[in-house]
């Protein structure tokens, strides 16, 4: 896929889903707030599950045009979505710790994604918004890092997508360097989990 085709897909997706994206973002913020304050620990996982399923079904299932989107990205996001839902329901009392300094920086970068996209010369609808594949995985890795129990397979899948942030130069989507940083962080988290902390 060339860069223009990449941005065309983003443009169509944004034009047709902007309202749903706004609703999902508000629900994600509410879920994270309730989980970080210890009121409903599992809610952030459940909302990340819904967001990943939405990206898989809508972004890749409905708007994806390349085989890699249909046969790699779509199943990856569906599996991540279902694993987040399973984790949220199975480990309901798993505590989400307050973000440390590095996680806080990554959360800020997630919220700045659209502004960085605009600063890179993009404009709506051909710009990166919060409810898109790369920002959602960036957020997923960052929030999941705060949970004590981690599913290694889920963390591996998130990290694999995180490392695809290297493609940011190819598609002139330099804002996705945020994703790449999250991918490297995912490698660190996965290594820590495998070594048994």
């Amino acid at each position: 896929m060339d860069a223009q085709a990449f941005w065309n897909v983003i443009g169509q997706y944004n034009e047709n889903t902007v309202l749903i994206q706004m609703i999902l973002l508000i629900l994600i913020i509410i879920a994270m707030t309730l989980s970080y304050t210890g009121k409903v620990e599992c809610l952030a996982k459940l909302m990340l599950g819904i967001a990943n399923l939405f990206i898989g079904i809508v972004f890749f299932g409905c708007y994806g045009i390349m085989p890699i989107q249909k046969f790699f990205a779509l199943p990856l996001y569906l599996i991540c979505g279902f694993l987040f839902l399973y984790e949220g329901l199975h480990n309901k009392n798993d505590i989400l710790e307050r973000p440390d300094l590095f996680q806080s920086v990554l959360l800020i970068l997630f919220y700045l994604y659209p502004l960085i996209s605009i600063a890179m010369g993009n404009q709506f609808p051909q710009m990166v918004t919060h409810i898109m594949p790369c920002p959602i995985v960036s957020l997923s890795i960052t929030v999941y890092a705060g949970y004590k129990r981690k599913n290694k397979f889920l963390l591996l899948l998130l990290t694999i997508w995180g490392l695809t942030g290297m493609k940011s130069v190819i598609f002139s989507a330099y804002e996705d360097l945020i994703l790449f940083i999250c991918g490297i962080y995912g490698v660190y988290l996965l290594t820590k989990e495998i070594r048994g902390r």
Side-chain angles (χ1 to χ4, degrees):
M1 177 187 292
D2 63 27
Q4 191 52 54
F6 170 82
W7 286 108
N8 287 341
V9 168
I10 288 174
Q12 291 173 358
Y13 165 80
N14 280 337
E15 282 183 337
N16 296 322
T17 64
V18 65
L19 182 59
I20 299 170
Q21 288 188 57
M22 287 168 47
I23 292 168
L24 280 174
L25 180 61
I26 291 166
L27 291 175
I28 286 170
I29 292 169
I30 292 169
M32 287 173 50
T33 302
L34 290 172
S35 291
Y36 275 124
T37 55
K39 291 182 171 55
V40 189
E41 286 86 357
C42 66
L43 201 55
K45 284 184 190 175
L46 296 175
M47 201 57 226
L48 288 172
I50 292 168
N52 277 277
L53 288 173
F54 177 81
I55 296 296
I57 294 166
V58 178
F59 189 91
F60 292 114
C62 298
Y63 294 95
I65 57 175
M66 298 295 289
I68 194 166
Q69 294 173 319
K70 299 287 189 186
F71 300 109
F72 171 67
L74 186 145
L76 183 143
Y77 275 85
L78 292 182
I79 293 168
C80 286
F82 284 121
L83 284 174
F84 265 123
L85 292 178
Y86 172 78
E87 286 294 307
L89 295 171
H90 186 64
N91 297 314
K92 288 181 182 176
N93 298 320
D94 189 11
I95 296 168
L96 178 59
E97 296 176 345
R98 294 286 178 93
D100 60 24
L101 179 61
F102 186 66
Q103 291 163 1
S104 296
V105 170
L106 293 180
L107 286 172
I108 290 166
L109 288 174
F110 165 76
Y111 289 115
L112 292 177
Y113 238 113
L115 292 177
I116 295 170
S117 189
I118 291 168
M120 294 288 112
N122 301 313
Q123 57 184 357
F124 191 85
Q126 292 190 351
M127 61 175 281
V128 178
T129 58
H130 292 108
I131 311 298
M132 289 186 65
C134 300
I136 286 297
V137 164
S138 298
L139 181 66
S140 296
I141 292 171
T142 304
V143 173
Y144 200 43
Y147 279 103
K148 292 192 181 241
R149 293 182 177 180
K150 295 179 185 69
N151 180 309
K152 293 183 189 74
F153 184 53
L154 172 56
L155 194 52
L156 173 65
L157 293 178
L158 293 171
T159 300
I160 287 170
W161 190 268
L163 293 174
T164 68
M166 290 185 298
K167 74 185 180 325
S168 59
V169 178
I170 299 169
F171 295 120
S172 300
Y174 299 105
E175 52 271 70
D176 281 341
L177 288 173
I178 298 167
L179 173 69
F180 185 57
I181 293 167
C182 290
I184 294 170
Y185 184 47
V187 172
Y188 163 76
L189 294 170
L190 193 56
T191 304
K192 196 173 167 184
E193 286 299 310
I194 291 169
R195 289 181 177 172
R197 298 176 168 266

